[in-house]
Amino acid sequence: MKQIALLPLSLMICLQIQAQSSLALKSIRYHNNSSKTLNYLELPQTKASLNKTLDSLSKQYWQMPSRLSNELIIQKTNAPQNPTISQIALINPKLGNANKNLITIDSSHQEKNSIPNYFLSLEIVEIPMSSLNKLIGIDSSFRKRFLSGPKIGLFQIVASIQSSHGETVFKKAVSILMFRNKRVKSFGFAHPDYGISPKNFENLLAKGLSIVLDHSNTIGLLEIEYDQVNMNDNFIQPFVQNQPKIFIASEKNNLQYLWKDQMQYLQYEEPGYEEIYLTKEDKDSLPKTLLKEIRAVDMRYPFFMIEEGRDIFHDKNYALKTTVYAMRNSADEPRRFTYNVRTGLPLVFVNGKTHVFLNDKDTLAKFSIRTDKKDSKKQQFLHQIVETYNGSSITMETKPRTRTQEYAYVIEGTFKGMPLKINCSGMRGMQSTIREIYLNNKITAIVQGSTAPEIMVVIDKNIDVLQLNQLLLLSFSRLF
């Protein structure tokens, strides 16, 4: 009797499920502007994530399940051929557009024997940052943040729902402005073509769709911070993967980080300078090698740039002393030069191992500073990206694209009698500036930051902490 009674109930539930309305994603049209970020829509993992997100949101806002259509079309569009996509107007972030051109899906007025089905179309387009100037009613705080913040990209998602009869019953859009996290969280060189990682892109889609599919949400412009995705390479990524990362806190001229259960405190002083007059008395006091290099160049105004530092925990004082001269004619000088903070002069480093790192009167390091050096053995892989959250590499393009690594500065000499080399990927203040520290011909540490060290991986776990602090002060000097 129980089995006979349960059969009609199960049949009834089955019939209700079969008769339930559904929402099918029919098409995605997308257009990149200056990047290739939207190419992630072609990835299988992105489609799987999108399917899960749409089903959840459709059930939440429309009370019906969603799925990807078997005939789903994902089309990369060309801006000149699709002006309706490339010229979508931005939405006022204050007023929104949720109550404009909105027809709520309502299946209660359908005929009893009719099963209402709906089809979703998405248009996702990257638009120029300059488009934000078209927005009206932007307050001054947003405008200031927009102008000063490091930006990744600006995207717009437009969702359009049609009934099975071809009638558009819902249409809504949201713009998403992506800022780059100011704090470095991972190692690597920002990819010039892909703005964020696939995982973060899935997150962006989920947040954008949660707004456009919610008819009660009036947000027109959404701001999100993400880490910019890095490209793969053969000289940084192999050393930082699966390695503990040390985060370095900086405030003004002070550094602080934890190493082997002990806090380290380092301090920089503001850079200064000393003029070199080359009088007979001065010549006699200068090292002969330095005097030889100064005489080898027809230079004017040679002087020392000096930066003092301190290791507070170990009670050690340091001075970095480099020899430079002011540029006379930029056409005759190296492409790379530096500006002294105090003088404002464009400066060039004197050749040879004429630069020193001192602990009181003891010379810890003596080195040369070369500029704009390429290393053909070190390659960046533009066809691959590195997923931020787990460090795995993803090949985005079938044809390999590589780029030879170029260093803004290469410091080479000796440190306490051992060979020393520090490769500086860029000038101070640049994003993704990485210092590779080699001691005794072995990679010892990799440090990354913009104006100060922010994240570090120590490869040589046996290095003395005093030496590590000395190398950190040297490698992230503000003199180069």
Side-chain angles (χ1 to χ4, degrees), residues 296-315:
V297 182
D298 181 20
M299 66 178 71
R300 294 180 181 178
Y301 314 119
F303 57 94
F304 297 115
M305 285 202 303
I306 301 172
E307 180 185 64
E308 295 183 344
R310 176 168 171 76
D311 184 337
I312 297 175
F313 180 77
H314 293 95
D315 192 24

Side-chain angles (χ1 to χ4, degrees), residues 176-311:
I176 302 175
L177 176 60
M178 293 189 300
F179 286 95
R180 184 175 61 225
N181 281 331
K182 293 181 180 179
R183 185 69 181 172
V184 174
K185 295 182 180 179
S186 60
F187 283 92
F189 301 99
H191 201 292
D193 300 326
Y194 298 91
I196 57 177
S197 71
K199 199 70 177 179
N200 281 336
F201 182 73
E202 293 171 15
N203 176 271
L204 179 145
L205 282 179
K207 289 185 176 181
L209 290 171
S210 69
I211 294 173
V212 294
L213 293 182
D214 180 3
H215 52 76
S216 65
N217 195 321
T218 59
I219 292 176
L221 178 64
L222 180 65
E223 300 172 48
I224 310 178
E225 281 193 355
Y226 286 122
D227 293 323
Q228 186 148 352
V229 70
N230 296 323
M231 70 185 92
N232 198 11
D233 59 63
N234 65 354
F235 59 99
I236 297 294
Q237 297 302 330
F239 291 104
V240 300
Q241 298 303 329
N242 304 316
Q243 289 281 352
K245 296 172 178 58
I246 301 169
F247 293 94
I248 304 171
S250 62
E251 184 177 358
K252 294 184 179 179
N253 297 336
N254 299 301
L255 305 177
Q256 177 180 322
Y257 72 95
L258 181 66
W259 171 251
K260 294 184 177 178
D261 300 322
Q262 176 63 57
M263 292 300 300
Q264 302 298 316
Y265 301 94
L266 305 178
Q267 190 176 64
Y268 288 100
E269 296 295 332
E270 289 297 323
Y273 69 96
E274 291 180 2
E275 295 185 45
I276 302 175
Y277 294 103
L278 294 180
T279 63
K280 184 179 185 307
E281 183 178 348
D282 290 327
K283 289 179 182 178
D284 292 339
S285 64
L286 292 174
K288 292 183 179 180
T289 54
L290 174 57
L291 192 60
K292 181 180 178 181
E293 293 294 344
I294 291 176
R295 286 173 171 169
V297 182
D298 181 20
M299 66 178 71
R300 294 180 181 178
Y301 314 119
F303 57 94
F304 297 115
M305 285 202 303
I306 301 172
E307 180 185 64
E308 295 183 344
R310 176 168 171 76
D311 184 337

Side-chain angles (χ1 to χ4, degrees), residues 30 44 55 73 86 234 278 321 332 358 380 383 417 431 479:
Y30 70 94
D55 184 55
I73 298 174
S86 62
N234 65 354
L278 294 180
K321 199 172 183 179
D332 299 329
L358 307 170
Q380 297 174 348
H383 60 292
Q431 187 69 20
L479 299 185

Side-chain angles (χ1 to χ4, degrees), residues 5-155:
L6 287 174
L7 183 59
L9 177 62
S10 62
L11 284 174
M12 182 176 67
I13 293 174
C14 182
L15 289 172
Q16 286 177 345
I17 293 174
Q18 291 177 353
Q20 187 179 13
S21 301
S22 65
L23 179 67
L25 177 59
K26 184 178 180 181
S27 67
I28 302 175
R29 293 198 299 166
Y30 70 94
H31 169 67
N32 290 306
N33 180 44
S34 59
S35 74
K36 298 181 179 181
T37 304
L38 294 181
N39 290 2
Y40 291 153
L41 288 165
E42 306 279 359
L43 296 176
Q45 58 265 40
T46 303
K47 289 187 234 180
S49 174
L50 180 60
N51 187 29
K52 185 177 179 180
T53 297
L54 282 175
D55 184 55
S56 175
L57 294 175
S58 182
K59 290 174 181 176
Q60 180 180 354
Y61 298 128
W62 306 113
Q63 290 74 53
M64 59 181 172
S66 172
R67 60 179 176 82
L68 302 185
S69 171
N70 294 331
E71 294 80 27
L72 173 63
I73 298 174
I74 300 179
Q75 180 185 8
K76 185 176 183 179
T77 62
N78 196 349
Q81 298 175 359
N82 297 274
T84 56
I85 291 181
S86 62
Q87 297 177 8
I88 292 174
L90 287 169
I91 305 160
N92 188 322
K94 287 188 174 181
L95 300 178
N97 77 330
N99 296 321
K100 301 176 184 179
N101 304 321
L102 173 62
I103 303 174
T104 304
I105 296 176
D106 185 0
S107 60
S108 61
H109 295 87
Q110 299 286 338
E111 296 179 7
K112 291 183 179 180
N113 296 328
S114 174
I115 302 174
N117 290 306
Y118 300 94
F119 301 96
L120 172 66
S121 298
L122 295 176
E123 294 179 340
I124 306 174
V125 58
E126 179 190 9
I127 42 186
M129 290 290 181
S130 58
S131 299
L132 277 177
N133 295 328
K134 300 176 184 178
L135 285 167
I136 59 174
I138 297 180
D139 58 31
S140 58
S141 62
F142 172 81
R143 191 172 295 279
K144 182 178 180 181
R145 187 168 67 255
F146 169 71
L147 292 174
S148 61
K151 295 166 287 294
I152 297 177
L154 177 62
F155 296 90

Side-chain angles (χ1 to χ4, degrees), residues 245-427:
K245 296 172 178 58
I246 301 169
F247 293 94
I248 304 171
S250 62
E251 184 177 358
K252 294 184 179 179
N253 297 336
N254 299 301
L255 305 177
Q256 177 180 322
Y257 72 95
L258 181 66
W259 171 251
K260 294 184 177 178
D261 300 322
Q262 176 63 57
M263 292 300 300
Q264 302 298 316
Y265 301 94
L266 305 178
Q267 190 176 64
Y268 288 100
E269 296 295 332
E270 289 297 323
Y273 69 96
E274 291 180 2
E275 295 185 45
I276 302 175
Y277 294 103
L278 294 180
T279 63
K280 184 179 185 307
E281 183 178 348
D282 290 327
K283 289 179 182 178
D284 292 339
S285 64
L286 292 174
K288 292 183 179 180
T289 54
L290 174 57
L291 192 60
K292 181 180 178 181
E293 293 294 344
I294 291 176
R295 286 173 171 169
V297 182
D298 181 20
M299 66 178 71
R300 294 180 181 178
Y301 314 119
F303 57 94
F304 297 115
M305 285 202 303
I306 301 172
E307 180 185 64
E308 295 183 344
R310 176 168 171 76
D311 184 337
I312 297 175
F313 180 77
H314 293 95
D315 192 24
K316 297 286 185 180
N317 296 313
Y318 304 102
L320 177 61
K321 199 172 183 179
T322 63
T323 310
V324 299
Y325 61 95
M327 290 177 58
R328 296 176 59 184
N329 184 349
S330 58
D332 299 329
E333 302 294 352
R335 181 168 64 87
R336 186 85 61 182
F337 56 89
T338 186
Y339 281 97
N340 179 260
V341 175
R342 295 280 182 86
T343 64
L345 294 172
L347 306 174
V348 180
F349 293 105
V350 172
N351 291 329
K353 296 178 181 179
T354 58
H355 318 287
V356 293
F357 184 62
L358 307 170
N359 173 210
D360 295 328
K361 294 183 179 180
D362 296 331
T363 301
L364 300 180
K366 186 179 291 186
F367 52 91
S368 63
I369 302 175
R370 297 180 298 162
T371 60
D372 298 316
K373 295 298 177 181
K374 290 186 177 182
D375 189 336
S376 60
K377 295 180 180 179
K378 296 181 178 180
Q379 298 289 314
Q380 297 174 348
F381 304 140
L382 283 82
H383 60 292
Q384 294 180 338
I385 58 173
V386 178
E387 183 62 86
T388 305
Y389 81 105
N390 66 359
S392 62
S393 63
I394 302 174
T395 300
M396 293 299 304
E397 303 167 22
T398 55
K399 186 177 180 180
R401 275 197 302 151
T402 62
R403 183 167 67 189
T404 299
Q405 174 64 16
E406 182 176 352
Y407 294 103
Y409 300 108
V410 175
I411 296 167
E412 199 162 9
T414 57
F415 176 80
K416 297 182 180 180
M418 296 177 286
L420 170 71
K421 187 175 184 180
I422 302 175
N423 295 328
C424 306
S425 69
M427 298 183 71

